[in-house]
Amino acid sequence: VIGSRRASWRIICSIEQREQQKGNAQHVGIIQNYKKTIHKELSSICDDIIGLLDNSLIPAAVTGEAKVFFLKMKGDYHRYYAEIDESSTQKGHAGTAYQKATEIATTTLAPTHPIRLGLALNCSVFFYEILHESEKGCSMAKTAFDEAVTELDSLDEESYKEATLIMQLLRDNLTLWTEDMQEGGDGTQVEEA
């Protein structure tokens, strides 16, 4: 549900920019009205999920794994909200949730754990794309990748497959971001968990 709304937001923003460059005020007005609809839908979904996380799921989480999973999810939904809301409120909430999740993950989950790797992936996207802290996003992705590489040999086949899948997404983002930083581009992200 949220993925299609996020894609719609990106597409409509791109179309709006193109129409503004053409000077087509009539189309821009129509697009801006549609953007309001998408914004309302996205905001409502994010508010509902964040409320569920804050009021039920996070307080009920007992294990480190569950706490990290739900805090990561909270960070993700605040990040989605931050994509459509320029204020610093959502960015701050996302950063706080990701920070808490990272603190718990580093003490309770192995570097190859899929939830820990997914957290590093999404948190690095947050730093790179939302906060525009390119070096921090790259550093976070690289650290997670490097820590996981050292423990791959100890995994069974299924765990190995899960870990390497997310590690490949980390590597893809690092490759894209490094090239983008060298070219001075816009920092478009490849993948997130």
Side-chain angles (χ1 to χ4, degrees), residues 62-123:
V62 178
T63 66
E65 181 179 54
K67 289 176 185 176
V68 172
F69 179 82
F70 291 128
L71 285 166
K72 173 196 165 294
M73 188 176 187
K74 180 178 178 177
D76 291 343
Y77 276 85
H78 279 294
R79 177 170 54 93
Y80 304 154
Y81 214 142
E83 291 173 348
I84 63 166
D85 182 354
E86 293 296 318
S87 75
S88 61
T89 303
Q90 296 303 327
K91 293 176 186 177
H93 290 313
T96 299
Y98 283 138
Q99 180 181 0
K100 287 180 183 176
T102 300
E103 289 169 2
I104 297 168
T106 55
T107 60
T108 63
L109 302 177
T112 54
H113 194 290
I115 294 173
R116 181 170 168 177
L117 285 168
L119 169 63
L121 176 66
N122 289 10
C123 192

